[in-house]
Amino acid sequence: MRAVLLPIAYLLALLPTPSWAYRDYFTIEQKAQLAKVQTVLVDAMALTDKGAIEAGPIADLASRRLGELGYTMVQDRAKPHDAVFKVKCEQRKTWEGTTAAGGDADLPDAPSRLWKGPACQMTYLLGELKVRWQREVRTGFDDAVVAAQATKAGEPGAYAIGKLQEELEKYEFPLLLTAEWGQPERLLTLLDSADTTQARKVKIFSLLGEMQADEALPRLKQALQDRDLAKQALSAMGNLGREGIPLLIEIMTTSQDLEVQTAAAKGLGQLGGLHGDASVVLPLLAKLKDPKTDWFVLTEVAWALGKIPDKRSIQPLYDLDKKLQALHDPGNIPLKKLKEAVFWSIKQCDTWDQFS
C-alpha cells in the first residue's frame, strides 16, 4: 500500500495551485500586513527598442483600476505606502523567470518563457520582499514592427505599448491582487456596485470561493436568485464553511434547473470532503437512487460521493454500476463520463476491495 501512496503523493505535489496558496509561505506578521494593505505605490516602466518612453499612462491606468477596489494610490516613492505594484511593459519582453513549478508557473497568464513579443509583466513588493506572485499580459502579435506596418500605425514601439495598455484595461489584475492579499471585503463591496458587470461578478464569485472567504456566504445566497450568477455562486459556496451545506442540499433537491442541481451536488462534494462532513451523504444517495435524476446531475452526485468515502455509498454505487455496464453505447459521452465517475467513487469508498 505504501508503494501505491507514494506515487500519488508525488503527483499531487505537481498539481497547480491558486496564486494565493503562496500565502502559506508568508509569516503570520506578513499575512497581517497583506490583509491591511491600503496605500499602494505604482512603479511602472515602458520600454521600446529605442529605449524607455513615458510610463505615466500605464501608471495612471493601474492607479485608476486598483483605486476601484478602494485602495489609496500613490506614484511618488517618497510617500508612505504599504505595498508596491510593479508593472513593466516592453516592446520585446525580457525574460525575468517564474517559479520553478506549481503556482504561477502553471497558470495561463503567468510570464511565458517562450514569448518574446510585447508584454507587460506584473508583480508586487511587500516591504523589501519580492513575492512569487507574477502575471503577464501580451498583445495578439509577436512582432510590433510587422504589426505596426500592417496597420500603418507609425512607430512600432509606441504602437506596442499602446496595445499593451488596452490589454491591461481588460485584465483583472486588481481582483487577483485583492484575492492574493486576502481582502474579501473589497471584492464584496465591488460586487454590490451598480457599475460591476456580470462577467466581473462571476470572476469575483470564483475568487471568493477559491479564497474560502466564509464572510461571503450571505452574499452568495443572494446571488442564487440571479440565474446568470447562481451556478458560479454555488461553485464558490463549495469552498466555504459547512454552514452552506443545508442550503446546497435544499437547492439540489428542489431546483428545477439542471445546471443548478449539478452545481449544488458538486458543492456538496467539495464541502463534505473539505470538512469531513458525512451529513451530505444521505441526500446525495437519495439523488443517486432517484430514477428521475438527469445523467449530468447523476455524474456530479457520483463524483461527490467519492469525495466523502462512506460505507453507506458502496452498495448503491455498485448497483448503479451494474445497470450502467449493461448499457453499450460507445458514442454516448455523458454515459461514458457517468461510468467513470461511478467507477472512481467505488474505488474511493470500497477500499477493502482494493487492498484485500
Side-chain angles (χ1 to χ4, degrees), residues 2 27 55 71 96 131 134 149 172 178 181 189 210 212 218 261 266-267 278 299 313-314 320 344 354:
R2 180 180 176 84
T27 65
Y71 296 107
E96 293 192 353
V131 299
Q134 295 170 288
Q149 290 175 345
E172 290 292 7
T178 300
W181 292 343
T189 299
E210 291 169 348
Q212 298 183 2
Q261 286 184 39
K266 181 177 181 179
T299 300
S313 302
I314 296 175
L320 178 57
W344 179 81
Q354 297 178 56

Side-chain angles (χ1 to χ4, degrees), residues 121-136:
Q121 298 181 76
M122 291 163 276
T123 188
Y124 73 91
L125 303 178
L126 183 66
E128 297 300 318
L129 175 67
K130 182 179 180 180
V131 299
R132 294 167 58 186
W133 187 92
Q134 295 170 288
R135 291 294 185 276
E136 178 176 290

Side-chain angles (χ1 to χ4, degrees), residues 239-260:
N239 289 317
L240 303 184
R242 51 166 42 100
E243 295 82 2
I245 288 177
L247 180 60
L248 287 173
I249 291 173
E250 179 185 350
I251 292 169
M252 182 185 69
T253 55
T254 62
S255 175
Q256 300 301 310
D257 189 310
L258 295 181
E259 287 192 0
V260 170

Side-chain angles (χ1 to χ4, degrees), residues 153-173:
E155 207 283 313
Y159 177 68
I161 299 301
K163 286 297 181 181
L164 287 171
Q165 285 180 235
E166 293 178 11
E167 295 301 318
L168 281 175
E169 193 69 64
K170 296 181 290 184
Y171 184 60
E172 290 292 7
F173 66 88

Side-chain angles (χ1 to χ4, degrees), residues 101-145:
D104 286 343
D106 300 314
L107 295 171
D109 53 355
S112 169
R113 186 185 301 274
L114 301 178
W115 182 259
K116 305 299 182 184
C120 291
Q121 298 181 76
M122 291 163 276
T123 188
Y124 73 91
L125 303 178
L126 183 66
E128 297 300 318
L129 175 67
K130 182 179 180 180
V131 299
R132 294 167 58 186
W133 187 92
Q134 295 170 288
R135 291 294 185 276
E136 178 176 290
V137 296
R138 311 169 193 114
T139 57
F141 51 85
D142 59 4
D143 190 321
V145 175

Side-chain angles (χ1 to χ4, degrees), residues 36-58:
K36 294 179 180 178
V37 167
Q38 172 59 42
T39 304
V40 181
L41 169 68
V42 176
D43 182 4
M45 295 178 62
L47 303 174
T48 70
D49 288 353
K50 295 182 179 180
I53 63 173
E54 174 57 43
I58 295 173

